[in-house]
């Protein structure tokens, strides 16, 4: 307006209360405090009560580099995290954890209108169509499902396979699970180690013990050894959409497989859970991939380039869309200048 000057000034929020999980304790802590401090904020971070050591060590190191009071670590349990969020000083609360924990934080933060950042659980659907290279899909999906003992909110643990290749896919996935090894990290053949704690082991065991009669455990399904919290790579087939293991997050090395008949049913199964975080679609049909991108309720896209090269990769796009957010596309096997995470939809044929 004439005679007036308008400008925007970005200011730090202030004190950020942050709660990190146990599945990637060091990196989750870094991903929270580093951006906050870089933007001019101070941080009070609570690590998980089962994995506090790496965060405390980071605090000791940063204590000699940052001004006093910029980075603070408070150890404790759920009540400690709740008190942090409810305290009137923090202007923002951030948590990575379960949906239940996120709802609790959002409720507590609402009492004095704190900003919230929630990264919660997932039940990532992996939709495999009949034109997929089964061997390649099984190789990648098994690693994506079992890595870190499945203790990953984006783990590929819920696979939906077209009925025409379902049996062949299940057989191949069961074989891959049998060839996957868990154990101590000094064994080079080990893909993943133990579950985080005895409660998590009991949770995974409970899901398998409560399976309905129509379910089939085609691989694993049991604890490994009598020491530690190791659980065998597990594949479960013959499941219905309403089964508990489909509807709830297991957070363990368990991959479920369902059969679908057409795109409509695949979309209904994929979206028919109370989560929306990550997914992938396996097909060589570009048109189908684009249709699926508009229909799925999940938002982290994983694109696997076909071995034939960049042309096939572009034609074989696997894309999904989060209706509440944005879409990113990654092309594996291409140069960073040709397809980048931060340039959605940029494809070089």
């Amino acid at each position: 307006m004439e005679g007036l000057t308008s400008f925007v000034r970005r200011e730090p929020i202030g004190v950020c209360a942050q709660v990190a999980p146990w599945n990637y304790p060091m990196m989750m802590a870094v991903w929270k405090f580093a951006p906050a401090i870089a933007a001019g904020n101070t941080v009070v971070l609570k690590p998980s009560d089962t994995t506090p050591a790496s965060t405390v060590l980071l605090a000791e190191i940063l204590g000699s580099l940052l001004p006093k009071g910029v980075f603070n670590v408070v150890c404790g349990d759920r009540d400690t995290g709740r008190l942090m969020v409810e305290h009137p000083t923090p202007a923002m609360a951030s948590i990575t954890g379960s949906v239940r924990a996120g709802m609790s934080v959002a409720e507590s933060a609402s009492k004095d209108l704190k900003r919230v950042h929630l990264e919660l659980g997932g039940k990532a659907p992996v939709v495999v169509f009949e034109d997929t290279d089964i061997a390649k899909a099984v190789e990648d999906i098994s690693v994506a499902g079992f890595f870190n003992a499945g203790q990953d909110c984006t783990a590929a643990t819920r696979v939906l396979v077209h009925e025409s290749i379902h049996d062949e896919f299940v057989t191949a996935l069961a074989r891959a699970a049998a060839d996957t090894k868990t154990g101590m990290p000094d064994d080079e053949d080990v893909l993943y180690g133990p579950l985080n704690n005895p409660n998590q082991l009991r949770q995974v065991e409970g899901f398998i013990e409560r399976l309905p009669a129509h379910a089939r455990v085609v691989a694993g399904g049991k604890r490994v050894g009598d020491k530690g919290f190791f659980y065998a790579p597990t594949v479960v087939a013959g499941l219905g959409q309403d089964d508990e293991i489909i509807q709830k997050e297991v957070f363990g090395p368990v991959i479920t497989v369902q059969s679908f008949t057409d795109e409509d049913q695949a979309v209904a199964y994929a979206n028919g859970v109370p989560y929306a975080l990550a997914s992938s679609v396996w097909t060589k049909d570009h048109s189908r991939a684009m249709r699926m991108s508009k229909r799925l309720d999940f938002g982290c896209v994983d694109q696997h380039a076909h071995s034939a090269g960049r042309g096939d990769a572009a034609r074989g796009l696997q894309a999904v869309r989060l209706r509440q957010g944005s879409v990113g596309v990654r092309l594996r096997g291409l140069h960073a200048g040709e397809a980048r995470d931060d340039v959605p939809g940029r494809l070089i044929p």
Side-chain angles (χ1 to χ4, degrees):
M1 296 176 64
E2 186 177 354
L4 299 176
T5 298
S6 299
F7 66 93
V8 175
R9 182 174 65 190
R10 299 188 181 276
E11 297 180 341
I13 292 171
V15 178
C16 299
Q18 302 178 333
V19 180
W22 47 254
N23 57 333
Y24 297 103
M26 186 185 75
M27 289 309 302
M28 285 291 189
V30 172
W31 292 337
K32 286 190 177 299
F33 73 72
I37 293 175
N41 302 285
T42 59
V43 166
V44 181
L45 174 66
K46 189 198 86 66
S48 168
D49 55 355
T50 66
T51 56
S54 58
T55 307
V56 171
L57 177 59
L58 282 171
E60 293 175 354
I61 295 171
L62 290 174
S64 63
L65 303 172
L66 297 174
K68 185 177 180 180
V70 170
F71 180 53
N72 311 274
V73 173
V74 177
C75 295
D77 55 16
R78 292 178 179 175
D79 289 337
T80 308
R82 177 181 54 79
L83 290 171
M84 282 176 50
V85 174
E86 292 180 351
H87 196 281
T89 297
M92 182 175 185
S94 171
I95 180 175
T96 299
S98 67
V99 171
R100 175 201 55 76
M103 292 172 66
S104 177
V105 167
E107 181 180 2
S108 297
S110 69
K111 295 176 182 177
D112 55 0
L113 299 178
K114 287 182 173 67
R115 297 188 188 186
V116 293
H117 174 268
L118 307 176
E119 182 186 5
L120 309 180
K123 195 70 177 172
V126 179
V127 185
V128 182
F129 284 97
E130 69 279 4
D131 59 350
T132 300
D133 181 331
I134 295 177
K136 176 61 176 173
V138 165
E139 178 185 358
D140 289 353
I141 291 170
S142 62
V143 173
F146 295 138
F147 181 78
N148 202 39
Q151 298 170 131
D152 189 316
C153 56
T154 64
T157 58
R158 184 167 62 107
V159 183
L160 311 174
V161 184
H162 190 270
E163 60 181 2
S164 64
I165 62 170
H166 173 270
D167 293 350
E168 182 181 357
F169 186 94
V170 169
T171 299
L173 187 60
R175 189 182 307 115
D179 292 338
T180 300
K181 188 175 182 180
T182 179
M184 296 299 289
D186 56 355
D187 185 340
E188 293 183 357
D189 295 328
V190 164
L191 175 68
Y192 67 87
L195 293 163
N196 176 264
N197 57 69
N199 290 334
Q200 194 62 28
L201 175 61
R202 285 193 291 270
Q203 174 171 307
V204 175
E205 289 177 324
F207 273 102
I208 301 302
E209 292 168 358
R210 295 189 300 271
L211 284 173
H214 56 260
R216 295 182 294 114
V217 178
V218 296
K222 61 178 184 280
R223 182 178 180 178
V224 176
D226 56 1
K227 295 181 179 180
F229 314 130
F230 300 94
Y231 200 81
T234 300
V235 178
V236 184
L239 294 161
Q241 183 65 16
D242 295 330
D243 291 339
E244 177 195 32
I245 200 169
I246 296 296
Q247 291 295 318
K248 294 184 178 180
E249 188 176 28
V250 179
F251 223 61
V254 178
I255 298 177
T256 63
V257 185
Q258 295 171 266
S259 175
F260 67 85
T261 58
D262 53 32
E263 284 186 30
D264 289 341
Q265 189 175 54
V267 170
Y269 282 176
N271 291 344
V273 297
Y275 299 88
L277 185 63
S279 62
S280 63
V281 178
W282 293 73
T283 182
K284 296 177 182 177
D285 186 332
H286 179 74
S287 297
R288 173 191 281 158
M290 293 300 97
R291 287 195 302 272
M292 294 293 289
S293 75
K294 298 178 180 179
R295 303 182 69 189
L296 297 185
D297 282 338
F298 291 77
C300 180
V301 181
D302 205 358
Q303 162 65 38
H304 301 262
H306 292 270
S307 58
R310 289 176 292 176
D312 267 359
R315 288 190 293 273
L317 266 178
Q318 303 149 28
V320 291
R321 179 186 179 203
L322 179 64
R323 295 196 180 112
Q324 299 90 337
S326 61
V327 178
V329 176
R330 293 197 301 273
L331 288 177
R332 293 183 181 175
L334 302 188
H335 295 296
E338 296 173 325
R340 294 171 41 187
D341 288 351
D342 59 343
V343 186
R346 180 184 177 191
L347 301 175
I348 306 299

